[in-house]
Amino acid sequence: MAGILAWFWNERFWLPHNVTWADLKNTDEATFPQAEDLYLACPLAFCIFMIRLVFERFIARPCAMGLKIQANGPQKAQPNAILEKVFTAITKHPDEKRLEGLSKQLDWDVRTIQRWFRQRRNQEKPSTLARFCESMWRFTFYLYIFTYGVRFLKKTPWLWNTKECWYNYPYQPLTVDVHYYYILELSFYLSLLFSRFTDIRRKDFLIMFLHHVAAISLIVFSYVNNMARVGTLVMCLHDAADVLIEAAKMANYAKCQILCNLLFAMFASLFITSRLGVYPIWILNTTLFESWEIVGPFPSWWVFNLLLVLLQLLHSFWSYLIVKTACRAISKGKVGKWNPLHVSKDDRSDIESSSDEDDSPPPSQKHHSSTTNGTNKNGTNGYLTGVPYPDEH
């Protein structure tokens, strides 16, 4: 283990030439970032997650009820043991052959069985109330951390002159404000990373997971090798658009369409301007060129900039989706029900729907019972014993 740690914390990788970890040890005169400081983020991430649960239960939920956002979810599918076993054990998206087999077994038409599976899939989706509470929590945190970042950074010299991020590097003392900012941001992103598996699962799950991993890696990298000054600029820049995106979602869930449209327009403008304009011109310029000129490259410098470029690629992808949503909204004369960083409702609907779906219920339970008396012991007439079909997400 000692050998592994010595290899991982190799000074030739993390620090510029002729700089050692001993040079960055804390003294009475100055305090520098220490890797062990980041251990605090793990228990703090758990505390943030618990605070979120309390916030959603006692603050966000009453606010949602005040806005008359209902807790009821999509219409529930009629209980059916055979279809339930297929749904849970084989596939949530049966193909045509399986649908025809179930149709013969239950004496239901294929369209009714398709409707049942659609309702059953929707049944597992969260209600609008749950979405509103999730967005309100994120909006509250982003608003707080962005406000804190702006108030803190406007007093720093590197906000106005990015070359200050590299003067006297890496011997730049760590202030209490920078330490608090970093630990809180890292804790929040860790809580988001963990909650990705419990939150509302959207189709951009892997992309957002990659985003959180990249953000955590950037925070850790910039703290350990004391690139904290430029790190604070990156974090504050990203939090600005996140505030508007969550506010727009809340307005959408509350059915305040005019406000939603306005916030979406503000978000789209700010996101594209900051992520495709300010970020490369302001951030990447100083990390790639100004730092090269003042400090010079070293191994972790390359990794740090690689992560920043990866973030820029994600910015470009999301900007494409935002522009696509905006174009569809303009062509239709409104911004319909949209999900931030997703394409329009037609492509990424939270609740599945079908143009041929009606509200007629499946055949009666009495009829269903009369047609299933001949099933085998497991109640599926052999369909559970077939080759399982992979679930499509």
Side-chain angles (χ1 to χ4, degrees), residues 324-334:
K324 183 178 179 181
T325 301
C327 290
R328 290 199 175 195
I330 293 173
S331 65
K332 294 179 180 180
K334 65 177 182 178

Side-chain angles (χ1 to χ4, degrees), residues 109-354:
D109 60 85
V110 172
R111 181 179 171 185
T112 300
I113 298 175
Q114 287 177 326
R115 183 186 305 114
W116 188 95
F117 274 93
R118 185 161 51 246
Q119 291 177 343
R120 184 63 180 84
R121 290 192 297 267
N122 288 339
Q123 188 175 318
E124 295 188 339
K125 297 178 183 296
S127 65
T128 303
L129 178 64
R131 298 189 189 99
F132 180 90
C133 292
E134 177 185 316
S135 294
M136 187 172 180
W137 159 250
R138 297 191 183 193
F139 167 80
T140 303
F141 181 87
Y142 285 134
L143 181 62
Y144 166 75
I145 200 66
F146 175 69
T147 303
Y148 175 86
V150 170
R151 293 180 59 186
F152 152 65
L153 285 172
K154 69 180 183 181
K155 299 180 292 185
T156 63
W158 60 86
L159 176 65
W160 314 106
N161 180 13
T162 53
K163 289 185 177 181
E164 292 287 344
C165 294
W166 312 109
Y167 291 148
N168 198 36
Y169 176 84
Y171 307 105
Q172 298 169 341
L174 178 70
T175 65
V176 175
D177 289 331
V178 172
H179 177 74
Y180 173 79
Y181 197 19
Y182 256 79
I183 296 299
L184 193 58
E185 285 274 15
L186 178 59
S187 301
F188 180 71
Y189 275 106
L190 283 174
S191 70
L192 286 183
L193 185 65
F194 299 147
S195 64
R196 293 301 300 175
F197 300 96
T198 59
D199 282 348
I200 300 168
R201 189 180 181 91
R202 297 187 174 93
K203 293 185 179 180
D204 65 347
F205 173 85
L206 292 178
I207 295 176
M208 289 304 298
F209 186 84
L210 177 62
H211 171 268
H212 294 332
V213 171
I216 291 171
S217 301
L218 281 168
I219 293 173
V220 172
F221 255 82
S222 60
Y223 189 87
V224 169
N225 61 10
N226 204 15
M227 293 184 181
R229 291 186 175 182
V230 71
T232 57
L233 300 180
V234 175
M235 292 187 296
C236 188
L237 180 66
H238 283 73
D239 290 337
D242 291 335
V243 175
L244 290 174
I245 203 173
E246 300 300 338
K249 282 201 290 185
M250 289 193 297
N252 182 54
Y253 299 144
K255 298 182 180 179
C256 301
Q257 195 61 51
I258 296 178
L259 179 60
C260 175
N261 294 349
L262 176 61
L263 290 171
F264 174 69
M266 294 171 60
F267 159 74
S269 301
L270 180 59
F271 187 96
I272 294 174
T273 301
S274 62
R275 307 296 175 92
L276 299 186
V278 178
Y279 181 82
I281 294 174
W282 191 42
I283 300 297
L284 293 183
N285 176 67
T286 189
T287 60
L288 288 171
F289 303 110
E290 292 180 349
S291 64
W292 183 294
E293 177 185 349
I294 298 173
V295 179
F298 51 97
S300 68
W301 178 94
W302 290 101
V303 175
F304 181 67
N305 279 284
L306 179 63
L307 291 171
L308 290 175
V309 172
L310 173 62
L311 207 57
Q312 180 60 55
L313 294 178
L314 292 175
H315 294 164
S316 301
F317 173 74
W318 283 323
S319 296
Y320 160 74
L321 296 182
I322 292 169
V323 171
K324 183 178 179 181
T325 301
C327 290
R328 290 199 175 195
I330 293 173
S331 65
K332 294 179 180 180
K334 65 177 182 178
V335 179
K337 286 189 175 181
W338 59 280
N339 289 317
L341 303 184
H342 293 205
V343 294
S344 67
K345 180 182 178 182
D346 294 336
D347 293 330
R348 289 182 178 247
S349 176
D350 279 337
I351 302 298
E352 297 178 63
S353 61
S354 174

Side-chain angles (χ1 to χ4, degrees), residues 35-101:
E36 53 267 24
D37 297 344
L38 301 178
Y39 295 150
L40 178 62
C42 292
L44 189 55
F46 176 75
C47 293
I48 289 177
F49 183 75
M50 299 305 296
I51 293 173
R52 169 188 171 173
L53 297 180
V54 174
F55 178 91
E56 291 184 355
R57 177 66 180 85
F58 296 103
I59 299 179
R61 187 181 180 89
C63 290
M65 300 302 288
L67 293 171
K68 298 182 180 180
I69 298 177
Q70 300 299 321
N72 57 300
Q75 179 182 357
K76 293 185 178 181
Q78 176 183 342
N80 185 289
I82 296 176
L83 296 181
E84 186 67 27
K85 284 186 177 181
V86 175
F87 183 87
T88 56
I90 299 179
T91 178
K92 298 180 180 180
H93 298 266
D95 60 9
E96 183 177 351
K97 182 178 180 181
R98 193 178 299 279
L99 287 171
E100 291 177 355

